[in-house]
């Protein structure tokens, strides 16, 4: 031991260890060593340093009134911590992975990586971001008080979800098909498509639209509280139906013929046509009209509660019949003669 008015030195030693202390009015140094480890401490009124080392690891601590640094290292890994009143940093690393954390009163960042994956987290009082990725897929999450976004992707498909208090969006896609859904308090949309077909649905509180199409046909449905429209078409024919609370219209057409039906509570119209003939029926509670025509002849029938009119004509002759409760008229005419019966 050696002391003066300015400093003090203390040394203690044995065959196995050594102790040394050196102190002044400004600082203190302490060293303690054995065959297994070494400890060194150095302190002043402003900071403190501590070193602890063995053949296997090393620890270093450095602290002041403003911050603290800690280092811990071994042949396998390294840990570093740095902290102040405002933030904290932690780093931990090995030959296989790395972990980093950085935090302040405003946000937090975490990064963790290995040969297999990477994770990144970033968060504040307002939002959160998470990224997780491997050699096979990626996941991203982003959230705030107002909305959430999630994305998940691989070499084969992608999923995206975006949601707020007012609406939701979902997309799922692969090399073969796509699915999209979008919904709000006012409407809802779904789209689903593959190499073979497409399906679309759009709906609101007032109406609904559905479209379904393939390489062979198309179906369209449109409906409201007032009416319904349905269309079905292929390369060979088309069907259209339109209906309301008051009437119904149906049209069916092919390369060979056309059929139209129009009906209300008061009347019915039916039209059927081909390249060879035309057939028409028009009926009401008061009368009926029938027209049938071909390349060779024409037939017309008109009837009411009181009378009947029939006309039959060909290139060679004409027949007309007109009848009422009071009388009957018949006319038959050809290029050669005329017959009238009354």
């Amino acid at each position: 031991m050696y002391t003066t008015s300015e400093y003090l030195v203390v040394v203690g030693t044995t065959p196995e260890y050594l102790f040394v202390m050196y102190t002044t009015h400004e600082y203190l140094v302490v060293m303690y060593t054995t065959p297994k480890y070494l400890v060194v401490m150095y302190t002043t009124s402003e900071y403190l340093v501590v070193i602890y080392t063995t053949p296997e690891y090393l620890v270093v601590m450095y602290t002041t009134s403003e911050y603290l640094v800690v280092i811990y290292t071994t042949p396998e890994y390294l840990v570093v911590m740095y902290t102040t009143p405002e933030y904290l940093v932690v780093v931990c690393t090995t030959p296989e992975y790395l972990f980093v954390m950085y935090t302040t009163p405003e946000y937090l960042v975490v990064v963790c990586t290995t040969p297999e994956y990477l994770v990144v987290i970033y968060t504040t009082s307002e939002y959160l971001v998470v990224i997780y990725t491997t050699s096979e897929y990626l996941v991203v999450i982003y959230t705030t008080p107002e909305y959430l976004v999630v994305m998940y992707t691989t070499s084969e498909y992608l999923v995206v979800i975006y949601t707020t208090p007012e609406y939701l969006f979902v997309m799922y896609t692969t090399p073969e098909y796509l699915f999209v859904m979008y919904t709000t308090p006012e409407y809802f949309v779904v789209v689903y498509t593959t190499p073979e077909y497409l399906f679309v649905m759009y709906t609101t509180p007032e109406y609904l639209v559905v479209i379904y199409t393939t390489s062979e046909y198309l179906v369209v449905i449109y409906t409201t509280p007032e009416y319904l429209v349905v269309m079905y078409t292929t390369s060979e024919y088309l069907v259209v139906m339109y209906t309301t609370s008051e009437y119904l219209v149906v049209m069916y057409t092919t390369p060979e013929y056309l059929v139209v039906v129009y009906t209300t509570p008061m009347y019915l119209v039916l039209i059927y046509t081909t390249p060879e003939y035309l057939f028409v029926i028009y009926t009401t509670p008061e009368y009926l009209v029938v027209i049938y025509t071909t390349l060779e002849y024409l037939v017309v029938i008109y009837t009411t509660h009181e009378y009947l009119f029939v006309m039959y004509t060909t290139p060679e002759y004409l027949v007309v019949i007109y009848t009422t409760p009071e009388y009957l008229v018949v006319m038959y005419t050809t290029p050669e003669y005329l017959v009238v019966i009354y």
Side-chain angles (χ1 to χ4, degrees):
M1 182 176 66
Y2 180 78
T3 180
T4 71
S5 58
E6 295 182 1
Y7 58 87
L8 167 67
V9 179
V10 177
V11 179
T13 179
T14 71
E16 294 183 359
Y17 61 88
L18 168 66
F19 174 83
V20 177
M21 182 177 70
Y22 180 84
T23 178
T24 72
H25 298 292
E26 296 180 359
Y27 59 88
L28 167 66
V29 179
V30 176
M31 182 178 68
Y32 181 79
T33 178
T34 73
K36 294 183 178 179
Y37 58 87
L38 166 67
V39 179
V40 177
M41 182 178 69
Y42 179 83
T43 179
T44 72
S45 58
E46 296 181 0
Y47 58 87
L48 167 66
V49 179
V50 177
I51 302 174
Y52 180 84
T53 178
T54 72
E56 295 181 359
Y57 59 88
L58 167 68
V59 179
V60 177
M61 182 177 70
Y62 180 82
T63 179
T64 72
S65 58
E66 296 180 0
Y67 59 88
L68 166 67
V69 179
V70 177
I71 302 175
Y72 179 81
T73 178
T74 73
E76 295 179 0
Y77 58 89
L78 166 68
V79 179
V80 178
M81 182 177 70
Y82 179 81
T83 178
T84 74
E86 295 182 358
Y87 59 89
L88 166 67
V89 179
V90 177
V91 179
C92 178
T93 179
T94 73
E96 293 184 359
Y97 63 89
L98 167 68
F99 174 84
V100 178
M101 181 176 69
Y102 180 82
T103 179
T104 73
E106 296 178 359
Y107 58 89
L108 166 68
V109 179
V110 177
V111 178
C112 180
T113 178
T114 73
E116 296 178 0
Y117 61 86
L118 166 68
V119 179
V120 177
I121 302 174
Y122 180 81
T123 179
T124 72
S125 58
E126 295 183 359
Y127 59 89
L128 166 68
V129 179
V130 178
I131 302 174
Y132 181 84
T133 180
T134 71
S135 57
E136 295 180 1
Y137 59 88
L138 166 67
V139 179
V140 177
I141 302 174
Y142 181 79
T143 179
T144 73
E146 296 179 0
Y147 58 88
L148 166 68
V149 179
V150 177
M151 182 178 70
Y152 179 83
T153 179
T154 71
S155 57
E156 295 181 2
Y157 58 89
L158 166 68
V159 179
V160 177
I161 302 174
Y162 180 82
T163 179
T164 73
E166 295 182 0
Y167 58 89
L168 168 67
F169 174 82
V170 177
M171 182 177 68
Y172 179 82
T173 179
T174 72
E176 294 182 1
Y177 59 89
L178 167 67
F179 173 82
V180 177
M181 181 178 69
Y182 182 77
T183 178
T184 74
E186 296 179 359
Y187 58 89
F188 175 63
V189 180
V190 174
V191 178
Y192 181 78
T193 178
T194 73
E196 296 177 1
Y197 61 87
L198 166 67
F199 174 82
V200 178
M201 182 174 69
Y202 179 83
T203 178
T204 73
E206 295 181 0
Y207 58 89
L208 166 69
V209 179
V210 177
I211 302 174
Y212 181 82
T213 179
T214 71
S215 57
E216 296 179 1
Y217 59 87
L218 166 67
V219 179
V220 177
I221 302 174
Y222 181 80
T223 178
T224 73
E226 297 178 0
Y227 58 88
L228 166 67
V229 179
V230 178
M231 182 178 70
Y232 179 84
T233 179
T234 71
S235 58
E236 295 182 0
Y237 59 88
L238 166 67
V239 179
V240 177
M241 182 178 69
Y242 180 84
T243 179
T244 72
S245 57
E246 297 180 359
Y247 59 88
L248 166 68
V249 179
V250 177
M251 182 177 69
Y252 180 83
T253 178
T254 73
E256 295 179 0
Y257 58 88
L258 165 68
V259 179
V260 178
V261 179
Y262 180 81
T263 178
T264 73
M266 300 291 293
Y267 58 87
L268 166 69
V269 178
L270 171 64
I271 302 175
Y272 181 83
T273 178
T274 73
E276 296 178 359
Y277 60 87
L278 166 67
F279 178 76
V280 178
I281 298 180
Y282 180 81
T283 178
T284 73
E286 297 178 359
Y287 58 87
L288 166 69
V289 178
V290 178
I291 302 174
Y292 181 79
T293 178
T294 71
L295 301 176
E296 297 179 358
Y297 58 86
L298 165 68
V299 178
V300 177
I301 302 174
Y302 180 82
T303 178
T304 71
H305 298 294
E306 297 181 357
Y307 57 86
L308 167 68
F309 174 83
V310 179
M311 181 177 70
Y312 179 85
T313 179
T314 72
E316 296 179 358
Y317 58 87
L318 165 67
V319 178
V320 176
I321 302 175
Y322 181 79
T323 178
T324 73
E326 299 178 356
Y327 57 87
L328 167 68
V329 178
V330 178
M331 181 177 69
Y332 179 82
T333 178
T334 72
E336 296 178 358
Y337 58 84
L338 166 66
V339 178
V340 178
I341 302 175
Y342 181 81

